[in-house]
């Protein structure tokens, strides 16, 4: 197809088309992130954006670096479900009127840094690189169930709010060769990593985590992470941390970040060491940690395994 198929272009769309072949980030506006009221000077239609991402506009070739745009309002729904994209997609500092759809899509890397969106539909996404949601404001579910990433999922400083559904980030069964970063994230709703497989760390340093419906802030049942669980300097935790049957290389935590009694579930949680400056290693502190479990809250009897695991690790550490 040709550009004429999209009718009269907005000023923002003309700017995008003029710059999409350069490989540089097309800055629609370097001011504050646009809102839903942003006019034609900042509006880019999702249909045109999709055609450019898929390199289907004959008279507007895309650079090998892919579509790279910042500061736009994306009108309509960007639907890339099932698409094969041989490049990166970078849509930073943008406002999305509708939740982007990338279910079962394949691409190099996805960058949505500092964008505002009403959720993200990316179950079974395959990214040869990573997914970067730094500073994102999502007022709805971020869905990455079964995603496969060659790099990391980066949500540092993200604001993920899903009070209606109760699930802010759904990444069950996700496989990532790298890490999951939630450092400084502010979440309302459950962060779900059940059955996820990570080649690196799960880091929640400096996060603010609040439950919505079921009372869980982070559920990582059967998580496997070759790196460490970083649970330090957590600014706020209102809800349960669930690590049932999870396995990590090490735990790096501090006492001030532990959840209150009844909000910690460690049954069959396995780890190789307790590491990091300030991580409590004395028996009294770890007894306090383990005492914050209350299996009765979920209708269970006393769990001996977490006590045996902690004793084993501390003994091996000398």
């Amino acid at each position: 197809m040709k550009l004429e198929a999209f009718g009269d272009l907005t000023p923002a769309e003309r700017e995008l088309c003029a710059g999409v072949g350069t490989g540089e980030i097309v800055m629609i506006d370097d001011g504050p992130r646009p809102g839903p009221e942003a006019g034609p000077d900042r509006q880019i239609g999702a249909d045109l954006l999709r055609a450019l991402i898929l390199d289907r506009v004959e008279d507007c070739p895309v650079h090998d670096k892919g579509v790279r745009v910042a500061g736009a309002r994306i009108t309509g729904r960007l639907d890339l479900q099932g698409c094969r994209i041989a490049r990166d997609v970078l849509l930073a500092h943008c406002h999305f009127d509708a939740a982007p759809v990338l279910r079962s899509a394949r691409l190099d890397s996805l960058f949505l840094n500092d964008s505002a969106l009403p959720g993200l539909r990316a179950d079974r996404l395959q990214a040869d690189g990573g997914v970067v949601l730094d500073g994102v404001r999502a007022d709805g579910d971020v869905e990455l169930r079964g995603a496969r990433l060659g790099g990391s999922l980066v949500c540092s400083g993200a604001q993920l709010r899903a009070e209606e559904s109760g699930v802010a980030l759904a990444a069950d069964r996700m496989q990532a060769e790298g890490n999951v970063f939630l450092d400084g994230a502010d979440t309302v709703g459950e962060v779900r990593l059940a059955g996820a497989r990570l080649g690196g760390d799960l880091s929640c340093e400096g996060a603010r985590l609040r439950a919505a419906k079921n009372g869980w802030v982070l559920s990582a049942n059967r998580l496997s992470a070759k790196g460490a669980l970083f649970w330090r300097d957590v600014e706020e935790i209102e809800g349960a941390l669930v690590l049932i049957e999870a396995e990590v290389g090490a735990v790096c935590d501090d006492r001030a970040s532990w959840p209150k009694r009844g909000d910690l579930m460690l049954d069959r949680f396995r780890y190789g060491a307790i590491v990091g400056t300030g991580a409590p290693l004395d028996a009294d502190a770890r007894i306090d940690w383990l005492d914050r479990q209350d299996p009765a809250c979920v209708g269970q009897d006393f769990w001996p395994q977490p006590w045996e695991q902690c004793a084993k690790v501390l003994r091996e550490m000398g």
Side-chain angles (χ1 to χ4, degrees), residues 46-269:
D47 289 345
L48 172 61
L49 186 58
R50 181 182 190 273
L52 291 172
I53 288 171
L54 298 177
D55 204 7
R56 291 180 178 172
V57 183
E58 298 173 21
D59 50 347
C60 190
V62 176
H63 192 275
D64 289 345
K65 291 182 180 179
V67 172
R68 296 152 59 85
V69 60
R73 173 189 169 195
I74 312 302
T75 60
R77 187 180 301 280
L78 179 60
D79 190 344
L80 295 166
Q81 180 165 331
C83 293
R84 299 296 180 262
I85 305 160
R87 304 179 174 95
D88 291 344
V89 174
L90 187 151
L91 303 170
H93 203 60
C94 292
H95 173 89
F96 290 79
D97 285 359
V101 179
L102 290 100
R103 294 187 182 102
S104 300
R106 180 161 189 172
L107 43 63
D108 280 354
S109 293
L110 175 65
F111 300 89
L112 297 175
N113 318 46
D114 196 35
S115 288
L117 53 160
L120 174 65
R121 312 287 178 255
D123 292 338
R124 302 177 304 281
L125 172 74
Q126 295 186 53
D128 294 340
V131 172
V132 180
L133 306 177
D134 275 353
V136 155
R137 170 67 188 250
D139 292 307
D141 306 23
V142 174
E143 301 173 352
L144 286 159
R145 301 178 190 89
R148 301 182 66 179
L149 311 182
S152 298
L153 171 61
V154 185
C155 301
S156 300
Q159 298 179 56
L160 309 179
R161 310 292 174 85
E163 297 183 38
E164 184 175 342
S165 70
V167 180
L169 171 62
D172 313 65
R173 305 178 308 283
M174 182 182 72
Q175 298 181 39
E177 296 297 322
N179 312 288
V180 171
F181 292 112
L182 289 159
D183 299 335
D186 186 341
T187 66
V188 177
E190 180 184 359
V191 174
R192 298 190 57 175
L193 290 163
R197 298 287 181 268
L198 310 181
D201 305 322
L202 169 57
S203 183
C204 300
E205 295 190 330
R208 300 182 67 200
L209 308 166
R210 285 154 289 171
K213 288 194 172 181
N214 67 2
W216 293 3
V217 292
L218 174 63
S219 57
N221 302 17
R222 303 179 307 283
L223 167 79
S224 174
K226 293 182 179 179
L229 168 64
F230 288 91
W231 194 266
R232 299 183 299 190
D233 302 319
V234 174
E235 293 190 8
E236 183 179 0
I237 175 169
E238 296 180 6
L241 170 59
V242 183
L243 294 166
I244 295 173
E245 289 190 71
E247 183 171 4
V248 300
V251 171
C252 183
D253 62 357
D254 62 43
R255 198 166 184 167
S257 299
W258 296 341
K260 64 180 176 42
R261 180 176 172 81
D263 280 347
L264 183 61
M265 302 183 192
L266 300 173
D267 188 29
R268 290 162 288 168
F269 176 44

Side-chain angles (χ1 to χ4, degrees), residues 266-301:
L266 300 173
D267 188 29
R268 290 162 288 168
F269 176 44
R270 298 179 298 279
Y271 47 97
I274 299 171
V275 300
T277 303
L281 295 174
D282 60 284
D284 287 344
R286 286 299 157 184
I287 287 171
D288 177 25
W289 181 55
L290 294 165
D291 267 340
R292 298 184 186 220
Q293 301 177 97
D294 187 358
C297 290
V298 289
Q300 300 290 324
D301 295 326

